[in-house]
Amino acid sequence: MDAQASSAADLPHIDGSVDAALEQIKRLLSTTQDFAVLLVYVHDVDRLCATIGHADAQKVIAQFRGQLDEFRRGDSCIYQLSDRKFAVVLCNIRNQGHVQLAAQKIQRQIKAQSMAGKVEHSLTAAVGAALGKRGYNSASDILRSAEIALLEGRRVGQTLTFHAQATGDELVNEWDLERKLANALEGGDLELHYQPKICIKNNMVIGAEALMRWNDPQLGAISPNIFIGVAESCGLITELTYFAIQRACRQLDEWRRDVEKLTVAVNLSPSLIRNLEIVDVIKSATSIWNIEPNEMVLEVTESALMADPKNTHNVLTAIRDLGAKVSLDDFGTGFSSFAYLKKIPADELKIDRSFVMNMLEDAGDRKIVEHAVAIAGSFGLKVVAEGVESMDALAALRELNCDFAQGYYISRPLAPDDFLSWYRTRRSNG
Ligand code: C2E
Ligand code: CA
Ligand code: CA
């Protein structure tokens, strides 16, 4: 059977969907954005009908269809082409890796759906994809390419098949890192380490910053400065951050018996603080693990705030309304104006480590730290110095009346068990 015959056989169920998909693809072809068309074919629908009946099977498929709505962002659209086939038109994609991640997500969704629907056998899907803007000139050619890819994939039992393979080492490398990161996230290979934060006045440990760690079996430890950037560019950052929030709450719950009240700070990337969705994630994680919202600190960079003041203001206000705290990270690098600082929805300023690390040698950096402490004081904010690498730096900060300190001199970021041992030793030494 050729590709067109296959799609024609599937089409009559949902009138007009193919036309609508073609219309959208045509529209996208007239723009400059890169996009992909993914055809998703749910395997074994007949077996599903035979085991749980048509009505319940339809419900399972409808719920899966609802989950696909997650991809409906910007110009991205979903179309149901038959009782078992969907088209996802994915916009603003950077490369093939992005499509790979979307396909993996779809596989996870269909699997989760079969579990939620208490279906005895696991449902799976095949995905055939075609990339827009790569030598195609008509919408129907692109859809047809995706159909051919789907057919090829179904024939050889592959979960994702591209019709037009992109080439180039750069793409493959980047794609490889994205794919590996997606697998690490799914396989539980990402973990949080915790760097203590102390009160300068009384030396008490008041909290910890959760910092993500990724140890790939082949590549070794990969710096968060690299993989957070990859996660941001391929759209994985939302899932990664939700994982961090959940994990940090669970950690607080696990430590409850062993530590006095501590706060845990989670970093939020710029894209996460433009949308109120994050507020619900924090709310649900704290309630699942029975954590007081004021035990959570969300760190956002000063530059992220300045990039989109209006939306971030609303999100940060909502986070604080929940009772969680907001810390302005990397302070001093983002050029906040006094007018903005006056109404900033934050509890704390965190002076960027580049100034703190050099404050003993560089009079200019010391001045910046001094001013940051004064600004925080005048706006009623607490102030944290990060990058405290020596006893002398800690003493200088004490002199300046800085509230809290974090840095290698106090401790490096530690795995959860090491954090607990460090905490106990420190407590028993007074
Ligand atoms: P950040 O938020 O500014 O985190 C502090 C960084 O400073 C950490 O680097 C920490 O290990 C390092 N640091 C702490 N004390 C000292 C010190 O005394 N001296 C020096 N030289 N460095 C110190 P790390 O763990 O490599 O993280 C780098 C960045 O990656 C973080 O910078 C943050 O922007 C990002 N990041 C890490 N985990 C996450 C995460 O879960 N989500 C997001 N969105 N970003 C994360
Ligand atoms: Ca931080
Ligand atoms: Ca920082």
Side-chain angles (χ1 to χ4, degrees), residues 16 23 29 69 147 183 188 223-224 373 411:
E23 255 322 293
L29 276 173
D69 268 347
E147 287 283 7
N183 288 340
S223 161
V373 175
S411 167

Side-chain angles (χ1 to χ4, degrees), residues 156-356:
V156 295
Q158 204 164 291
T159 47
L160 171 66
T161 318
F162 282 96
H163 183 55
Q165 292 289 347
T167 51
D169 285 351
E170 207 180 296
L171 189 67
V172 171
N173 284 341
E174 196 177 336
W175 174 69
D176 207 37
L177 206 56
E178 289 179 8
R179 186 178 54 81
K180 281 194 154 87
L181 182 58
N183 288 340
L185 189 55
E186 193 174 3
D189 293 336
L190 294 178
E191 50 178 27
L192 292 180
H193 280 197
Y194 297 86
Q195 187 175 34
K197 226 161 105 177
I198 61 162
C199 169
I200 297 182
K201 237 180 233 132
N202 60 17
N203 276 326
M204 296 282 280
V205 184
I206 52 134
E209 176 175 7
L211 294 157
M212 190 79 70
R213 295 292 177 260
W214 176 22
N215 218 332
D216 179 78
Q218 279 127 33
L219 304 172
I222 301 161
S223 161
N225 290 318
I226 294 173
F227 73 78
I228 295 292
V230 169
E232 278 168 347
S233 68
C234 71
L236 213 53
I237 192 67
T238 307
E239 221 174 310
L240 186 143
T241 307
Y242 292 179
F243 161 75
I245 292 172
Q246 287 285 350
R247 199 69 196 82
C249 287
R250 192 174 115 188
Q251 194 61 67
L252 274 172
D253 181 54
E254 277 172 28
W255 280 339
R256 216 188 289 274
R257 267 173 294 117
D258 301 287
V259 302
E260 321 237 310
K261 198 169 162 96
L262 284 188
T263 60
V264 169
V266 172
N267 290 283
L268 296 185
S269 287
S271 61
L272 269 297
I273 49 167
R274 297 198 181 117
N275 190 317
L276 283 165
E277 217 174 283
I278 190 71
V279 184
D280 289 333
V281 173
I282 298 166
K283 196 170 165 185
S284 96
T286 48
S287 85
I288 287 169
W289 298 103
N290 214 4
I291 302 299
E292 296 289 334
N294 67 9
E295 292 171 88
M296 284 293 290
V297 180
L298 288 311
E299 296 195 4
V300 298
T301 62
E302 187 193 11
S303 49
L305 254 77
M306 297 317 291
D308 185 0
K310 190 168 167 286
N311 283 321
T312 54
H313 191 277
N314 293 342
V315 174
L316 298 186
T317 304
I319 291 177
R320 294 184 75 222
D321 287 347
L322 270 187
K325 293 182 183 151
V326 170
S327 176
L328 204 53
D329 204 0
D330 301 349
F331 187 75
T333 59
F335 310 107
S336 308
S337 67
F338 279 100
Y340 186 63
L341 279 172
K342 190 178 70 178
K343 50 180 187 190
I344 204 158
D347 301 271
E348 169 184 289
L349 293 189
K350 204 161 179 187
I351 311 171
D352 189 64
R353 61 183 182 277
S354 60
F355 307 118
V356 178

